[in-house]
Structure formats: C-alpha cells, structure tokens
Amino acid sequence: MIDGRFVVDAHVHTPRLPTLKPAWMDWARDFAGTYPWRTVYDDEGSVIPAAMDELMESEGVDRVLLFCEYSPRATGVQPIEDNLPLVAYNPSRFRLVANVNPHLHHPLRDEVARQLDLGAVALKLHPVHGGFSPADKELYPVYELCASLGVPVVLHSGLSVFPGSRSSFGDPALLSDVVEDFPTVNFVFAHGGRGWWYDTAAFMAQSRPNVWLDLAGLPPKKLPDYYARFDLPRLARKWIFGTDWPGVPGTAVNVRSIAGLGLPEETLSDVLAGNALKLMPGLK
C-alpha cells in the first residue's frame, strides 16, 4: 500500500535484457532517470525475483501486471515464459499478461489460450510495435475467446518512439467497430491515446461502458492538460493506474502525483486498484 491505499500497477515490463533491441535500453534510461531499476537485474540481464519483489514492496505496490511482448520489428521478443520465475516467487504480487502478434502466431486463438493457461489475467495487443490493425478480422476469434472467458484486452494506443513502429495502428478509432461487436469484452487503451489521440480515447471511454484508459507513461501532473476538453473527475472513473515500468521516476511518485489531482477519494481508489480488480478478477 501507498499512504494506506491498495495499489495495482497494471503496466510493467520486466524482460530479459538480451532479448531487447538497443532502443529499449535507451528508452528505459531516458525515462527512468535515477530510478534504480537496474538493481533488480543480474549480470546476465535476467530479473532477480527476490530483488524485484523487494523493490515493489518498498514502493508500496500490492499487485503487478507483467507484460510480455512479441515485437521483433520494434523492441524485440520478450516471451511470457521469462516472467514465470517472478510469478513463482510471489504469486500474490505478480500476475501475467498474455501477448500475441498475428505475424508470428497462428492460430492466434490457440496461442492466447496457451498463455492464459499459464495464468495470464489479461491479453495485451501491441498493433504499433507489431505492425497490424487491431480491427483485423483475424483477431476476432481472439476477442471471442476473451469474451467467453471474461478476459480484458489491453491495446497500445497512441504513438511510440521505437524504430520500426507503425503509429497509424495506434489510433483508438480503429477499435470503434470492435468495441461494439464485443460489448462484453473490456478494452483498455494503454497510454490513454498518447500523442494526438487523447480526445478520441477519452470520448470512447466515456461513451462506451467497455472502454477504459490506462495511464502508463503519462506524467500524472499533465493529465488535466491532456484531457482538457473533458470533466476530469468524470473521466477518471474510467482510468486504470499503470506506470510503464521501468520507464518511470517511481511508482510511489506517480501514485502521489495522481492523489494530488484532487479526485474524489472513491474515484482515486478505483483508479489505483478498484477498476483493475473489477476488470481482472484474477488479481484478487
């Protein structure tokens, strides 16, 4: 907990460093600054479960969603299996999030099912790094599977700094039909439409009960500017806290910055944990 509040960080990357492209390391260095994220890695670039658990404990994070990513054209291949030691070390704190890329996995549905069987509580799609449209009909069997199992789908929205990215696939409007075709699936726009799509993502979140925004990578103090056209306390009811760790100055720092926005206490509790717990029952 942080200041007595239960905290879920719903957007964390803990890849094995040898699997990454150099641009990922540059990103982590530039955005983390002096934050000691490298201390949780051994000399071979693998996460030390005890060290990561201790760091999250010191930060006051109660649940951590671990992302994997299969994006060889942008950041590298970060297999879900690399996150299994963290979950084995502390299954109460750490949970898996699945990921697939239609250029690498076939049939997509089978691979999603395999990763869910490993214990994943959500599915992450990265159209921008993977170079595919999230509205492609090839993904519909995946959405159908998620609907049948009550699994939320997290999608990267907005721009990306990594070479090889295709930012046009980060437009939240690409999901306008999908969110209506699958009304029982909760879709989470990671990064809240970062770039020039904040308005699109926010409008969809307010107008569709199954659309949510995660705050990963967004400086909390700038949220009122990013969503200046919206009633912030109302929009915040659809927010899910995430940091994009390790590219963050600190989880506790971001939590306290969000607390400083003056949101109603009930809304703040939902942002920090309640909304994620509601969307992902496996977190409880």
Side-chain angles (χ1 to χ4, degrees):
M1 291 191 172
I2 300 177
D3 302 331
R5 297 185 177 95
F6 194 88
V7 175
V8 175
D9 190 336
H11 197 125
V12 169
H13 301 274
T14 52
R16 288 183 59 253
L17 302 184
T19 71
L20 302 168
K21 290 195 172 183
W24 193 97
M25 299 296 295
D26 294 340
W27 163 79
R29 181 197 64 233
D30 294 344
F31 284 89
T34 60
Y35 183 69
W37 68 274
R38 284 298 297 267
T39 62
V40 308
Y41 281 87
D42 63 21
D43 292 340
E44 284 72 44
S46 295
V47 173
I48 306 167
M52 182 64 177
D53 190 50
E54 182 179 352
L55 180 60
M56 292 296 100
E57 177 68 24
S58 71
E59 287 271 54
V61 185
D62 300 281
R63 299 285 186 275
V64 176
L65 268 64
L66 302 170
F67 283 19
C68 60
E69 188 173 322
Y70 297 85
S71 300
R73 66 175 292 139
T75 57
V77 174
Q78 305 151 41
I80 191 171
E81 287 78 9
D82 288 350
N83 288 329
L84 292 177
L86 278 165
V87 177
Y89 183 83
N90 189 344
S92 177
R93 192 186 313 278
F94 298 109
R95 307 298 170 84
L96 299 171
V97 175
N99 178 263
V100 290
N101 182 334
H103 298 304
L104 299 179
H105 301 110
H106 184 80
L108 282 169
R109 188 185 188 281
D110 291 354
E111 177 59 18
V112 173
R114 185 188 75 84
Q115 294 185 31
L116 293 177
D117 285 343
L118 292 175
V121 298
L123 169 67
K124 165 74 180 297
L125 297 177
H126 209 310
V128 171
H129 286 175
F132 61 90
S133 170
D136 194 302
K137 288 300 190 290
E138 187 177 3
L139 287 162
Y140 269 50
V142 170
Y143 298 142
E144 290 168 357
L145 176 64
C146 291
S148 69
L149 299 176
V151 172
V153 178
V154 184
L155 300 108
H156 178 100
S157 65
L159 309 179
S160 173
V161 299
F162 294 102
S165 299
R166 289 294 179 262
S167 290
S168 60
F169 292 128
D171 184 353
L174 292 172
L175 268 290
S176 58
D177 288 342
V178 175
V179 300
E180 293 188 17
D181 290 342
F182 298 94
T184 63
V185 176
N186 285 298
F187 292 92
V188 181
F189 288 136
H191 315 296
R194 182 171 58 197
W196 47 75
W197 290 307
Y198 288 118
D199 285 359
T200 304
F203 183 82
M204 291 179 69
Q206 285 200 337
S207 61
R208 295 288 182 266
N210 62 328
V211 174
W212 304 77
L213 310 177
D214 105 5
L215 305 179
L218 306 182
K221 291 183 179 179
K222 293 186 178 181
L223 292 172
D225 297 328
Y226 295 156
Y227 299 112
R229 296 178 60 187
F230 297 84
D231 181 315
L232 203 68
R234 180 188 172 204
L235 180 63
R237 297 173 192 160
K238 303 301 290 288
W239 286 352
I240 295 172
F241 177 73
T243 58
D244 214 7
W245 195 98
V248 62
T251 306
V253 170
N254 275 23
V255 167
R256 293 185 174 118
S257 292
I258 290 174
L261 294 177
L263 300 174
E265 185 61 35
E266 181 179 358
T267 301
L268 178 60
S269 295
D270 284 343
V271 172
L272 297 180
N275 289 336
L277 293 171
K278 178 168 62 177
L279 267 59
M280 306 171 203
L283 284 177
K284 295 179 181 178

